[in-house]
Amino acid sequence: FLADVFWGDLDVLLLDLPPGTGDVAISTAQLLPQAELVVVTTPQTAAAEVAIRAGMLAQQTKQRLAGVVENMSSFPCPHCGEPMDLFGTGGGQMVSETLTRELGTDVPLLGRVPFDVRLREGGDNGTPLVASDPDAPASTVLTEVATRLGKRARGLAGMSLGITPAGRL
């Protein structure tokens, strides 16, 4: 797909890959060796350990880590609104700290996105939560993450991605 589409000059190409260090991650890394990665985890220890392995792969594939996002950080109690940690706590922080220590570079925790079923619903119906309810806690965190990433000095405009659309040389 990457090689069959003419992307033009891009500022950002965001790819949502399956978790872990499987064939998709390795093949994509080989196609985009200079890419920046955002590692996404949940608070669970098991998920955080998989995210750490995925982040460590970046060193071998000459990619850079832009940071970590913890998804499904908490769930607001339907009765009182207090956050409930259904999936545990600390996974994102653990990934950030471990990757920072192991890679010798700052890998910040960019944000902790609280669980909100409307995120999934918005993805399914094409209306992002940040558009339909920009003041929702999850929207606020996602906007903050996007802002932090947007302030980074980077971009793909004028940069060769090392791929050529089929039939073009």
Side-chain angles (χ1 to χ4, degrees):
F1 183 71
L2 283 171
D4 290 339
V5 174
F6 178 68
W7 297 101
D9 285 335
L10 299 175
D11 290 322
V12 174
L13 176 63
L14 183 64
L15 303 175
D16 183 5
L17 301 179
T21 57
D23 291 342
V24 172
I26 292 170
S27 295
T28 303
Q30 290 170 339
L31 286 170
L32 301 170
Q34 299 301 314
E36 286 185 299
L37 304 177
V38 174
V39 176
V40 179
T41 188
T42 62
Q44 298 162 270
T45 301
E49 290 170 354
V50 170
I52 290 168
R53 286 194 303 274
M56 292 299 293
L57 181 66
Q59 186 175 41
Q60 298 168 10
T61 58
K62 297 180 179 31
Q63 295 175 309
R64 296 173 310 278
L65 292 174
V68 176
V69 173
E70 183 181 279
N71 197 18
M72 299 189 287
S73 291
S74 61
F75 180 79
C77 173
H79 304 291
C80 68
E82 288 294 314
M84 299 171 22
D85 297 319
L86 297 176
F87 301 105
T89 61
Q93 190 65 43
M94 181 176 92
V95 172
S96 171
E97 290 172 358
T98 302
L99 291 174
T100 294
R101 182 179 63 250
E102 294 295 322
L103 298 176
T105 186
D106 183 38
V107 182
L109 177 60
L110 298 170
R112 299 176 67 234
V113 183
F115 187 91
D116 189 326
V117 72
R118 296 174 301 166
L119 281 170
R120 191 238 348 127
E121 292 170 347
D124 289 346
N125 69 29
T127 306
L129 183 61
V130 296
S132 65
D133 187 357
D135 295 324
S139 295
T140 302
V141 173
L142 289 170
T143 300
E144 290 170 2
V145 168
T147 299
R148 287 184 73 182
L149 290 172
K151 288 182 180 177
R152 296 169 46 86
R154 69 187 192 333
L156 299 178
M159 180 188 295
S160 171
L161 295 179
I163 57 176
T164 305
R168 293 182 51 127
L169 293 177

